[in-house]
Amino acid sequence: MVTVPGGRVMQGLRLLRSALKSWTYVPAAGIAAAFGTSVISAKVAVNGVHLHYQQTGEGEHAVLLLPGMLGSGETDFQPQIKNLNKKLFTVVAFDPRGYGHSRPPDRDFPVDFFERDAKDAVDLMKTLKFKKVSLLGWSDGGITALIAAAKHPSYIHKMVIWGANAYVTEEDEVIYQSIRDVSKWSEKIRKPLETLYGYDYLAKTCEKWVDGINQFKHLPDGNICRHLLPLVQCPTLIVHGEKDQLVPRFHADFIHEHVKGSRLHLMPGGKHNLHIRFANEFNKLAEDFLQ
């Protein structure tokens, strides 16, 4: 248990009460941030929905964090929200529509859901008055980042992605089916999402996600965004954990091959959530690349 001086506790409680009075959501993990750099948590209207986001830092370089399947800033990016350099960067973590606190609506998966998320992400940052942004995209968020960078080349400064794929293979389909039933997930993985969503919404949305991602398997070449990769113009860092159990290495190699000038960085001990398990190493890698 961490102890802090009483005056700082009262200061933190006052900040929390003030946030609650203004209807701003402050996650439990964000309360500790009240004792250091503050984390703004709010919603804003974008493309017909109210998107939830967290924002911290005071740097001129805006960085948007894009979460993975069923993810949110709160569940996916605490080490980055807390520890990325606040002097260099203004960090924004958003919840895609239907995920996290960007509900309603419930999440759905039309064939263009990645394009929809990419448009929401870019329009969110424009609504927040950022003139240019860099992207950190994990898993599904990495796919969204690739699409955003391809379709908005003048707006995206730099990009770091990991755990992403530009197409779906039969091997991927087997992996996706293996995670369809959330009751078979480890409690460590399931519990934070169950706390956020409730079991029923989590289970239903995971099944819908599996069906949604597998629909690309039936398109030519399993295409999600492979046709857009040559359109990416920004400096791009692709990070791959060599023990990633969900996204095979060939996906990182394909993106590296087709995004001109991109760099590929391998983390030998990294799994799919390498930015959490190896947060310090990942954060330094991202900061060095973005500067």
Side-chain angles (χ1 to χ4, degrees):
M1 181 176 181
V2 178
T3 58
V4 295
R8 296 176 72 186
V9 171
M10 293 305 297
Q11 180 187 19
L13 291 174
R14 284 195 295 270
L15 287 170
L16 178 57
R17 283 197 296 269
S18 175
L20 290 173
K21 287 180 180 178
S22 63
W23 296 96
T24 299
Y25 171 78
V26 179
I31 295 173
F35 302 115
T37 303
S38 62
V39 177
I40 297 169
S41 186
K43 285 187 175 183
V44 64
V46 177
N47 297 330
V49 298
H50 286 85
L51 294 179
H52 176 265
Y53 69 96
Q54 294 172 282
Q55 179 175 325
T56 187
E58 55 190 17
E60 293 185 2
H61 190 155
V63 178
L64 176 63
L65 310 180
L66 299 100
M69 172 197 67
L70 292 162
S72 67
E74 176 184 349
T75 56
D76 288 13
F77 290 119
Q78 282 303 315
Q80 287 68 50
I81 293 170
K82 181 179 179 182
N83 294 319
L84 285 176
N85 191 311
K86 305 299 189 298
K87 298 295 184 183
L88 294 175
F89 307 112
T90 295
V91 178
V92 177
F94 96 117
D95 301 354
R97 62 172 70 199
Y99 284 164
H101 300 282
S102 293
R103 294 178 288 144
D106 284 355
R107 182 70 176 185
D108 63 352
F109 299 92
V111 71
D112 66 342
F113 73 89
F114 283 118
E115 283 82 1
R116 183 182 63 186
D117 286 347
K119 179 173 172 52
D120 283 349
V122 169
D123 289 349
L124 168 66
M125 296 304 278
K126 289 182 176 179
T127 299
L128 297 178
K129 307 301 183 185
F130 293 107
K131 295 182 178 179
K132 200 165 187 176
V133 304
S134 291
L135 305 176
L136 265 63
W138 175 39
S139 197
D140 275 14
I143 300 172
T144 302
L146 286 165
I147 295 170
K151 292 195 170 186
H152 303 274
S154 65
Y155 192 64
I156 306 305
H157 181 46
K158 293 185 177 182
M159 175 169 59
V160 182
I161 61 169
W162 63 108
N165 53 299
Y167 58 95
V168 175
T169 68
E170 291 184 2
E171 180 179 346
D172 297 319
E173 192 172 16
V174 171
I175 294 171
Y176 301 150
Q177 291 295 347
S178 74
I179 63 173
R180 183 183 188 94
D181 184 353
V182 300
S183 70
K184 297 179 181 178
W185 293 10
S186 71
E187 184 175 359
K188 183 179 180 180
I189 299 293
R190 186 183 68 247
K191 197 64 178 178
L193 293 172
E194 189 175 342
T195 299
L196 176 62
Y197 292 117
Y199 181 84
D200 290 344
Y201 186 86
L202 172 63
K204 176 183 70 175
T205 307
C206 183
E207 291 179 356
K208 289 164 62 177
W209 178 86
V210 171
D211 292 338
I213 195 73
N214 278 338
Q215 67 187 318
F216 297 105
K217 174 67 173 57
H218 305 294
L219 298 180
D221 299 317
N223 183 42
I224 301 175
C225 64
R226 57 191 296 159
H227 62 296
L228 295 175
L229 300 185
L231 303 180
V232 175
Q233 298 179 20
C234 65
T236 300
L237 174 63
I238 303 150
V239 184
H240 181 74
E242 295 202 89
K243 293 185 178 180
D244 191 328
Q245 68 277 39
L246 296 178
V247 179
R249 163 73 184 271
F250 60 79
H251 283 303
D253 290 336
F254 183 88
I255 296 170
H256 176 44
E257 180 182 350
H258 289 85
V259 174
K260 185 177 180 180
S262 63
R263 289 170 44 190
L264 176 61
H265 180 89
L266 302 177
M267 294 181 65
K271 296 185 178 181
H272 194 61
N273 61 345
L274 58 86
H275 67 296
I276 297 173
R277 293 174 64 92
F278 300 98
N280 291 339
E281 180 182 349
F282 175 84
N283 286 354
K284 185 179 187 308
L285 182 68
E287 287 179 348
D288 289 347
F289 179 77
L290 292 175
Q291 291 184 64

